[in-house]
PDB file of all heavy atoms in Angstrom:
ATOM      1  N   LEU A   1      -1.932   3.896 -13.343  1.00 98.00           N
ATOM      2  CA  LEU A   1      -0.602   4.501 -13.485  1.00 98.00           C
ATOM      3  C   LEU A   1       0.451   3.403 -13.340  1.00 98.00           C
ATOM      4  O   LEU A   1       1.000   3.152 -12.268  1.00 98.00           O
ATOM      5  CB  LEU A   1      -0.409   5.595 -12.437  1.00 98.00           C
ATOM      6  CG  LEU A   1      -1.423   6.736 -12.481  1.00 98.00           C
ATOM      7  CD1 LEU A   1      -1.140   7.748 -11.392  1.00 98.00           C
ATOM      8  CD2 LEU A   1      -1.421   7.405 -13.852  1.00 98.00           C
ATOM      9  N   ASN A   2       0.719   2.763 -14.464  1.00 98.00           N
ATOM     10  CA  ASN A   2       1.627   1.626 -14.477  1.00 98.00           C
ATOM     11  C   ASN A   2       2.653   1.771 -15.596  1.00 98.00           C
ATOM     12  O   ASN A   2       2.621   2.737 -16.373  1.00 98.00           O
ATOM     13  CB  ASN A   2       0.834   0.321 -14.629  1.00 98.00           C
ATOM     14  CG  ASN A   2      -0.056   0.340 -15.864  1.00 98.00           C
ATOM     15  OD1 ASN A   2       0.374   0.695 -16.955  1.00 98.00           O
ATOM     16  ND2 ASN A   2      -1.321  -0.031 -15.690  1.00 98.00           N
ATOM     17  N   GLY A   3       3.551   0.823 -15.685  1.00 98.00           N
ATOM     18  CA  GLY A   3       4.622   0.908 -16.666  1.00 98.00           C
ATOM     19  C   GLY A   3       4.130   1.006 -18.088  1.00 98.00           C
ATOM     20  O   GLY A   3       4.725   1.721 -18.915  1.00 98.00           O
ATOM     21  N   GLY A   4       3.062   0.289 -18.411  1.00 98.00           N
ATOM     22  CA  GLY A   4       2.521   0.354 -19.767  1.00 98.00           C
ATOM     23  C   GLY A   4       2.046   1.735 -20.131  1.00 98.00           C
ATOM     24  O   GLY A   4       2.259   2.212 -21.253  1.00 98.00           O
ATOM     25  N   LEU A   5       1.406   2.422 -19.187  1.00 98.00           N
ATOM     26  CA  LEU A   5       0.945   3.786 -19.445  1.00 98.00           C
ATOM     27  C   LEU A   5       2.126   4.748 -19.553  1.00 98.00           C
ATOM     28  O   LEU A   5       2.173   5.593 -20.451  1.00 98.00           O
ATOM     29  CB  LEU A   5      -0.024   4.229 -18.348  1.00 98.00           C
ATOM     30  CG  LEU A   5      -0.624   5.629 -18.530  1.00 98.00           C
ATOM     31  CD1 LEU A   5      -2.099   5.634 -18.137  1.00 98.00           C
ATOM     32  CD2 LEU A   5       0.131   6.668 -17.703  1.00 98.00           C
ATOM     33  N   PHE A   6       3.105   4.628 -18.658  1.00 98.00           N
ATOM     34  CA  PHE A   6       4.241   5.548 -18.691  1.00 98.00           C
ATOM     35  C   PHE A   6       5.002   5.447 -20.019  1.00 98.00           C
ATOM     36  O   PHE A   6       5.490   6.450 -20.537  1.00 98.00           O
ATOM     37  CB  PHE A   6       5.198   5.260 -17.536  1.00 98.00           C
ATOM     38  CG  PHE A   6       4.565   5.335 -16.176  1.00 98.00           C
ATOM     39  CD1 PHE A   6       4.976   4.486 -15.155  1.00 98.00           C
ATOM     40  CD2 PHE A   6       3.550   6.246 -15.907  1.00 98.00           C
ATOM     41  CE1 PHE A   6       4.401   4.546 -13.897  1.00 98.00           C
ATOM     42  CE2 PHE A   6       2.952   6.315 -14.649  1.00 98.00           C
ATOM     43  CZ  PHE A   6       3.380   5.456 -13.653  1.00 98.00           C
ATOM     44  N   ALA A   7       5.076   4.248 -20.576  1.00 98.00           N
ATOM     45  CA  ALA A   7       5.799   4.054 -21.827  1.00 98.00           C
ATOM     46  C   ALA A   7       5.121   4.739 -23.000  1.00 98.00           C
ATOM     47  O   ALA A   7       5.757   4.945 -24.049  1.00 98.00           O
ATOM     48  CB  ALA A   7       5.948   2.557 -22.117  1.00 98.00           C
ATOM     49  N   ARG A   8       3.865   5.104 -22.850  1.00 98.00           N
ATOM     50  CA  ARG A   8       3.122   5.748 -23.942  1.00 98.00           C
ATOM     51  C   ARG A   8       3.158   7.270 -23.866  1.00 98.00           C
ATOM     52  O   ARG A   8       2.584   7.957 -24.697  1.00 98.00           O
ATOM     53  CB  ARG A   8       1.673   5.260 -23.923  1.00 98.00           C
ATOM     54  CG  ARG A   8       1.549   3.797 -24.347  1.00 98.00           C
ATOM     55  CD  ARG A   8       0.538   3.026 -23.528  1.00 98.00           C
ATOM     56  NE  ARG A   8      -0.840   3.467 -23.701  1.00 98.00           N
ATOM     57  CZ  ARG A   8      -1.841   3.075 -22.911  1.00 98.00           C
ATOM     58  NH1 ARG A   8      -1.599   2.272 -21.873  1.00 98.00           N
ATOM     59  NH2 ARG A   8      -3.065   3.506 -23.139  1.00 98.00           N
ATOM     60  N   LEU A   9       3.825   7.816 -22.843  1.00 98.00           N
ATOM     61  CA  LEU A   9       3.958   9.268 -22.740  1.00 98.00           C
ATOM     62  C   LEU A   9       4.960   9.793 -23.765  1.00 98.00           C
ATOM     63  O   LEU A   9       5.786   9.044 -24.295  1.00 98.00           O
ATOM     64  CB  LEU A   9       4.413   9.649 -21.324  1.00 98.00           C
ATOM     65  CG  LEU A   9       3.363   9.454 -20.232  1.00 98.00           C
ATOM     66  CD1 LEU A   9       4.013   9.487 -18.852  1.00 98.00           C
ATOM     67  CD2 LEU A   9       2.268  10.515 -20.336  1.00 98.00           C
ATOM     68  N   ALA A  10       4.897  11.090 -24.030  1.00 98.00           N
ATOM     69  CA  ALA A  10       5.742  11.714 -25.059  1.00 98.00           C
ATOM     70  C   ALA A  10       7.220  11.525 -24.734  1.00 98.00           C
ATOM     71  O   ALA A  10       7.644  11.665 -23.581  1.00 98.00           O
ATOM     72  CB  ALA A  10       5.420  13.203 -25.158  1.00 98.00           C
ATOM     73  N   ARG A  11       8.002  11.240 -25.764  1.00 97.00           N
ATOM     74  CA  ARG A  11       9.453  11.094 -25.606  1.00 97.00           C
ATOM     75  C   ARG A  11      10.216  12.240 -26.254  1.00 97.00           C
ATOM     76  O   ARG A  11      11.441  12.278 -26.197  1.00 97.00           O
ATOM     77  CB  ARG A  11       9.934   9.787 -26.254  1.00 97.00           C
ATOM     78  CG  ARG A  11       9.113   8.555 -25.970  1.00 97.00           C
ATOM     79  CD  ARG A  11       8.967   8.228 -24.508  1.00 97.00           C
ATOM     80  NE  ARG A  11      10.225   8.218 -23.788  1.00 97.00           N
ATOM     81  CZ  ARG A  11      10.319   8.107 -22.468  1.00 97.00           C
ATOM     82  NH1 ARG A  11       9.215   8.046 -21.732  1.00 97.00           N
ATOM     83  NH2 ARG A  11      11.487   8.109 -21.873  1.00 97.00           N
ATOM     84  N   ASP A  12       9.488  13.175 -26.888  1.00 97.00           N
ATOM     85  CA  ASP A  12      10.145  14.235 -27.664  1.00 97.00           C
ATOM     86  C   ASP A  12      10.010  15.603 -27.006  1.00 97.00           C
ATOM     87  O   ASP A  12      10.184  16.628 -27.660  1.00 97.00           O
ATOM     88  CB  ASP A  12       9.551  14.291 -29.078  1.00 97.00           C
ATOM     89  CG  ASP A  12       8.047  14.554 -29.068  1.00 97.00           C
ATOM     90  OD1 ASP A  12       7.430  14.490 -27.990  1.00 97.00           O
ATOM     91  OD2 ASP A  12       7.497  14.820 -30.158  1.00 97.00           O
ATOM     92  N   GLY A  13       9.711  15.653 -25.708  1.00 98.00           N
ATOM     93  CA  GLY A  13       9.458  16.922 -25.046  1.00 98.00           C
ATOM     94  C   GLY A  13      10.718  17.655 -24.636  1.00 98.00           C
ATOM     95  O   GLY A  13      11.812  17.076 -24.553  1.00 98.00           O
ATOM     96  N   VAL A  14      10.583  18.946 -24.355  1.00 97.00           N
ATOM     97  CA  VAL A  14      11.725  19.791 -24.029  1.00 97.00           C
ATOM     98  C   VAL A  14      12.249  19.548 -22.616  1.00 97.00           C
ATOM     99  O   VAL A  14      13.334  20.041 -22.270  1.00 97.00           O
ATOM    100  CB  VAL A  14      11.357  21.292 -24.191  1.00 97.00           C
ATOM    101  CG1 VAL A  14      11.066  21.608 -25.642  1.00 97.00           C
ATOM    102  CG2 VAL A  14      10.187  21.663 -23.291  1.00 97.00           C
ATOM    103  N   LEU A  15      11.506  18.806 -21.781  1.00 97.00           N
ATOM    104  CA  LEU A  15      11.982  18.527 -20.433  1.00 97.00           C
ATOM    105  C   LEU A  15      12.967  17.368 -20.379  1.00 97.00           C
ATOM    106  O   LEU A  15      13.565  17.107 -19.334  1.00 97.00           O
ATOM    107  CB  LEU A  15      10.799  18.225 -19.500  1.00 97.00           C
ATOM    108  CG  LEU A  15       9.801  19.359 -19.277  1.00 97.00           C
ATOM    109  CD1 LEU A  15       8.683  18.901 -18.340  1.00 97.00           C
ATOM    110  CD2 LEU A  15      10.494  20.589 -18.710  1.00 97.00           C
ATOM    111  N   GLY A  16      13.124  16.665 -21.488  1.00 96.00           N
ATOM    112  CA  GLY A  16      14.058  15.541 -21.523  1.00 96.00           C
ATOM    113  C   GLY A  16      13.464  14.228 -21.082  1.00 96.00           C
ATOM    114  O   GLY A  16      14.173  13.223 -20.953  1.00 96.00           O
ATOM    115  N   GLY A  17      12.172  14.202 -20.868  1.00 98.00           N
ATOM    116  CA  GLY A  17      11.484  12.980 -20.468  1.00 98.00           C
ATOM    117  C   GLY A  17      10.210  13.340 -19.756  1.00 98.00           C
ATOM    118  O   GLY A  17      10.060  14.458 -19.243  1.00 98.00           O
ATOM    119  N   PRO A  18       9.260  12.424 -19.703  1.00 98.00           N
ATOM    120  CA  PRO A  18       7.964  12.723 -19.090  1.00 98.00           C
ATOM    121  C   PRO A  18       8.028  12.738 -17.565  1.00 98.00           C
ATOM    122  O   PRO A  18       8.842  12.051 -16.944  1.00 98.00           O
ATOM    123  CB  PRO A  18       7.061  11.594 -19.590  1.00 98.00           C
ATOM    124  CG  PRO A  18       7.989  10.485 -19.933  1.00 98.00           C
ATOM    125  CD  PRO A  18       9.273  11.100 -20.358  1.00 98.00           C
ATOM    126  N   VAL A  19       7.136  13.546 -16.987  1.00 98.00           N
ATOM    127  CA  VAL A  19       7.050  13.735 -15.538  1.00 98.00           C
ATOM    128  C   VAL A  19       5.647  13.340 -15.082  1.00 98.00           C
ATOM    129  O   VAL A  19       4.653  13.675 -15.733  1.00 98.00           O
ATOM    130  CB  VAL A  19       7.335  15.203 -15.170  1.00 98.00           C
ATOM    131  CG1 VAL A  19       7.073  15.454 -13.682  1.00 98.00           C
ATOM    132  CG2 VAL A  19       8.762  15.588 -15.550  1.00 98.00           C
ATOM    133  N   LEU A  20       5.563  12.653 -13.953  1.00 99.00           N
ATOM    134  CA  LEU A  20       4.286  12.252 -13.360  1.00 99.00           C
ATOM    135  C   LEU A  20       3.995  13.106 -12.139  1.00 99.00           C
ATOM    136  O   LEU A  20       4.855  13.265 -11.269  1.00 99.00           O
ATOM    137  CB  LEU A  20       4.327  10.776 -12.951  1.00 99.00           C
ATOM    138  CG  LEU A  20       3.157  10.260 -12.098  1.00 99.00           C
ATOM    139  CD1 LEU A  20       1.854  10.282 -12.885  1.00 99.00           C
ATOM    140  CD2 LEU A  20       3.463   8.854 -11.565  1.00 99.00           C
ATOM    141  N   VAL A  21       2.771  13.650 -12.057  1.00 99.00           N
ATOM    142  CA  VAL A  21       2.298  14.351 -10.868  1.00 99.00           C
ATOM    143  C   VAL A  21       0.983  13.688 -10.462  1.00 99.00           C
ATOM    144  O   VAL A  21      -0.022  13.840 -11.148  1.00 99.00           O
ATOM    145  CB  VAL A  21       2.072  15.857 -11.138  1.00 99.00           C
ATOM    146  CG1 VAL A  21       1.513  16.532  -9.887  1.00 99.00           C
ATOM    147  CG2 VAL A  21       3.356  16.535 -11.595  1.00 99.00           C
ATOM    148  N   ASN A  22       0.987  12.949  -9.358  1.00 98.00           N
ATOM    149  CA  ASN A  22      -0.244  12.295  -8.898  1.00 98.00           C
ATOM    150  C   ASN A  22      -0.704  12.917  -7.589  1.00 98.00           C
ATOM    151  O   ASN A  22      -0.091  12.745  -6.540  1.00 98.00           O
ATOM    152  CB  ASN A  22      -0.052  10.786  -8.706  1.00 98.00           C
ATOM    153  CG  ASN A  22      -1.371  10.096  -8.342  1.00 98.00           C
ATOM    154  OD1 ASN A  22      -2.453  10.681  -8.485  1.00 98.00           O
ATOM    155  ND2 ASN A  22      -1.292   8.858  -7.880  1.00 98.00           N
ATOM    156  N   ALA A  23      -1.810  13.660  -7.673  1.00 98.00           N
ATOM    157  CA  ALA A  23      -2.459  14.215  -6.485  1.00 98.00           C
ATOM    158  C   ALA A  23      -3.876  13.670  -6.365  1.00 98.00           C
ATOM    159  O   ALA A  23      -4.710  14.244  -5.670  1.00 98.00           O
ATOM    160  CB  ALA A  23      -2.478  15.736  -6.561  1.00 98.00           C
ATOM    161  N   GLY A  24      -4.160  12.568  -7.068  1.00 97.00           N
ATOM    162  CA  GLY A  24      -5.486  11.965  -7.050  1.00 97.00           C
ATOM    163  C   GLY A  24      -5.650  11.002  -5.890  1.00 97.00           C
ATOM    164  O   GLY A  24      -5.902  11.411  -4.756  1.00 97.00           O
ATOM    165  N   ARG A  25      -5.458   9.712  -6.159  1.00 96.00           N
ATOM    166  CA  ARG A  25      -5.585   8.690  -5.128  1.00 96.00           C
ATOM    167  C   ARG A  25      -4.411   7.726  -5.240  1.00 96.00           C
ATOM    168  O   ARG A  25      -3.925   7.426  -6.344  1.00 96.00           O
ATOM    169  CB  ARG A  25      -6.893   7.913  -5.265  1.00 96.00           C
ATOM    170  CG  ARG A  25      -8.141   8.762  -5.382  1.00 96.00           C
ATOM    171  CD  ARG A  25      -8.349   9.686  -4.211  1.00 96.00           C
ATOM    172  NE  ARG A  25      -8.633   8.960  -2.972  1.00 96.00           N
ATOM    173  CZ  ARG A  25      -8.625   9.539  -1.769  1.00 96.00           C
ATOM    174  NH1 ARG A  25      -8.328  10.810  -1.648  1.00 96.00           N
ATOM    175  NH2 ARG A  25      -8.919   8.827  -0.695  1.00 96.00           N
ATOM    176  N   GLY A  26      -3.974   7.190  -4.087  1.00 97.00           N
ATOM    177  CA  GLY A  26      -2.831   6.289  -4.095  1.00 97.00           C
ATOM    178  C   GLY A  26      -3.092   5.000  -4.850  1.00 97.00           C
ATOM    179  O   GLY A  26      -2.171   4.429  -5.450  1.00 97.00           O
ATOM    180  N   GLY A  27      -4.346   4.532  -4.822  1.00 97.00           N
ATOM    181  CA  GLY A  27      -4.661   3.290  -5.514  1.00 97.00           C
ATOM    182  C   GLY A  27      -4.593   3.379  -7.024  1.00 97.00           C
ATOM    183  O   GLY A  27      -4.652   2.360  -7.711  1.00 97.00           O
ATOM    184  N   LEU A  28      -4.449   4.582  -7.563  1.00 98.00           N
ATOM    185  CA  LEU A  28      -4.293   4.738  -9.010  1.00 98.00           C
ATOM    186  C   LEU A  28      -2.937   4.249  -9.481  1.00 98.00           C
ATOM    187  O   LEU A  28      -2.777   3.871 -10.640  1.00 98.00           O
ATOM    188  CB  LEU A  28      -4.444   6.215  -9.408  1.00 98.00           C
ATOM    189  CG  LEU A  28      -5.772   6.900  -9.104  1.00 98.00           C
ATOM    190  CD1 LEU A  28      -5.648   8.396  -9.330  1.00 98.00           C
ATOM    191  CD2 LEU A  28      -6.883   6.321  -9.967  1.00 98.00           C
ATOM    192  N   GLN A  29      -1.927   4.287  -8.590  1.00 98.00           N
ATOM    193  CA  GLN A  29      -0.560   4.061  -9.027  1.00 98.00           C
ATOM    194  C   GLN A  29      -0.025   2.706  -8.591  1.00 98.00           C
ATOM    195  O   GLN A  29      -0.399   2.164  -7.557  1.00 98.00           O
ATOM    196  CB  GLN A  29       0.351   5.171  -8.510  1.00 98.00           C
ATOM    197  CG  GLN A  29       0.517   5.228  -7.005  1.00 98.00           C
ATOM    198  CD  GLN A  29       1.136   6.529  -6.537  1.00 98.00           C
ATOM    199  OE1 GLN A  29       0.996   7.573  -7.162  1.00 98.00           O
ATOM    200  NE2 GLN A  29       1.838   6.478  -5.408  1.00 98.00           N
ATOM    201  N   VAL A  30       0.872   2.179  -9.430  1.00 98.00           N
ATOM    202  CA  VAL A  30       1.628   0.967  -9.110  1.00 98.00           C
ATOM    203  C   VAL A  30       3.037   1.445  -8.771  1.00 98.00           C
ATOM    204  O   VAL A  30       3.808   1.802  -9.667  1.00 98.00           O
ATOM    205  CB  VAL A  30       1.631  -0.019 -10.282  1.00 98.00           C
ATOM    206  CG1 VAL A  30       2.432  -1.271  -9.932  1.00 98.00           C
ATOM    207  CG2 VAL A  30       0.199  -0.398 -10.680  1.00 98.00           C
ATOM    208  N   GLU A  31       3.370   1.488  -7.502  1.00 98.00           N
ATOM    209  CA  GLU A  31       4.606   2.134  -7.096  1.00 98.00           C
ATOM    210  C   GLU A  31       5.846   1.392  -7.567  1.00 98.00           C
ATOM    211  O   GLU A  31       6.875   2.015  -7.873  1.00 98.00           O
ATOM    212  CB  GLU A  31       4.598   2.343  -5.579  1.00 98.00           C
ATOM    213  CG  GLU A  31       3.663   3.492  -5.214  1.00 98.00           C
ATOM    214  CD  GLU A  31       3.252   3.540  -3.755  1.00 98.00           C
ATOM    215  OE1 GLU A  31       3.938   2.896  -2.916  1.00 98.00           O
ATOM    216  OE2 GLU A  31       2.264   4.230  -3.445  1.00 98.00           O
ATOM    217  N   ALA A  32       5.768   0.080  -7.691  1.00 98.00           N
ATOM    218  CA  ALA A  32       6.906  -0.665  -8.236  1.00 98.00           C
ATOM    219  C   ALA A  32       7.188  -0.232  -9.676  1.00 98.00           C
ATOM    220  O   ALA A  32       8.349  -0.132 -10.093  1.00 98.00           O
ATOM    221  CB  ALA A  32       6.628  -2.168  -8.172  1.00 98.00           C
ATOM    222  N   ASP A  33       6.138   0.039 -10.435  1.00 98.00           N
ATOM    223  CA  ASP A  33       6.310   0.486 -11.822  1.00 98.00           C
ATOM    224  C   ASP A  33       6.841   1.918 -11.883  1.00 98.00           C
ATOM    225  O   ASP A  33       7.616   2.259 -12.774  1.00 98.00           O
ATOM    226  CB  ASP A  33       4.982   0.398 -12.572  1.00 98.00           C
ATOM    227  CG  ASP A  33       4.590  -1.029 -12.908  1.00 98.00           C
ATOM    228  OD1 ASP A  33       5.215  -1.958 -12.361  1.00 98.00           O
ATOM    229  OD2 ASP A  33       3.652  -1.216 -13.711  1.00 98.00           O
ATOM    230  N   ILE A  34       6.414   2.765 -10.947  1.00 99.00           N
ATOM    231  CA  ILE A  34       6.950   4.126 -10.902  1.00 99.00           C
ATOM    232  C   ILE A  34       8.451   4.077 -10.655  1.00 99.00           C
ATOM    233  O   ILE A  34       9.244   4.733 -11.346  1.00 99.00           O
ATOM    234  CB  ILE A  34       6.245   4.958  -9.815  1.00 99.00           C
ATOM    235  CG1 ILE A  34       4.788   5.207 -10.215  1.00 99.00           C
ATOM    236  CG2 ILE A  34       6.972   6.287  -9.589  1.00 99.00           C
ATOM    237  CD1 ILE A  34       3.978   5.922  -9.151  1.00 99.00           C
ATOM    238  N   LEU A  35       8.869   3.295  -9.676  1.00 98.00           N
ATOM    239  CA  LEU A  35      10.297   3.183  -9.366  1.00 98.00           C
ATOM    240  C   LEU A  35      11.083   2.626 -10.543  1.00 98.00           C
ATOM    241  O   LEU A  35      12.140   3.157 -10.901  1.00 98.00           O
ATOM    242  CB  LEU A  35      10.486   2.302  -8.134  1.00 98.00           C
ATOM    243  CG  LEU A  35      10.087   2.948  -6.800  1.00 98.00           C
ATOM    244  CD1 LEU A  35       9.885   1.889  -5.722  1.00 98.00           C
ATOM    245  CD2 LEU A  35      11.132   3.965  -6.375  1.00 98.00           C
ATOM    246  N   ALA A  36      10.566   1.571 -11.158  1.00 98.00           N
ATOM    247  CA  ALA A  36      11.266   0.985 -12.306  1.00 98.00           C
ATOM    248  C   ALA A  36      11.356   1.981 -13.456  1.00 98.00           C
ATOM    249  O   ALA A  36      12.400   2.082 -14.129  1.00 98.00           O
ATOM    250  CB  ALA A  36      10.550  -0.288 -12.760  1.00 98.00           C
ATOM    251  N   SER A  37      10.297   2.746 -13.675  1.00 98.00           N
ATOM    252  CA  SER A  37      10.280   3.710 -14.784  1.00 98.00           C
ATOM    253  C   SER A  37      11.210   4.888 -14.513  1.00 98.00           C
ATOM    254  O   SER A  37      11.812   5.439 -15.438  1.00 98.00           O
ATOM    255  CB  SER A  37       8.851   4.201 -15.025  1.00 98.00           C
ATOM    256  OG  SER A  37       8.023   3.124 -15.439  1.00 98.00           O
TER     257      SER A  37
END
């Protein structure tokens, strides 16, 4: 879960932008990239 992956999420959705929900494991995510995104 990093900036490269977030940039590939849909940009045309009705919510006005993609949303991340991580309930898996903390090591999956790069928190600096989440904040920047």
Side-chain angles (χ1 to χ4, degrees):
L1 301 179
N2 55 48
L5 182 140
F6 303 146
R8 290 140 66 192
L9 289 164
R11 315 303 310 172
D12 59 349
V14 295
L15 297 180
V19 173
L20 170 66
V21 177
N22 185 14
R25 309 301 293 168
L28 299 170
Q29 66 194 28
V30 180
E31 285 163 18
D33 286 13
I34 292 175
L35 287 162
S37 296

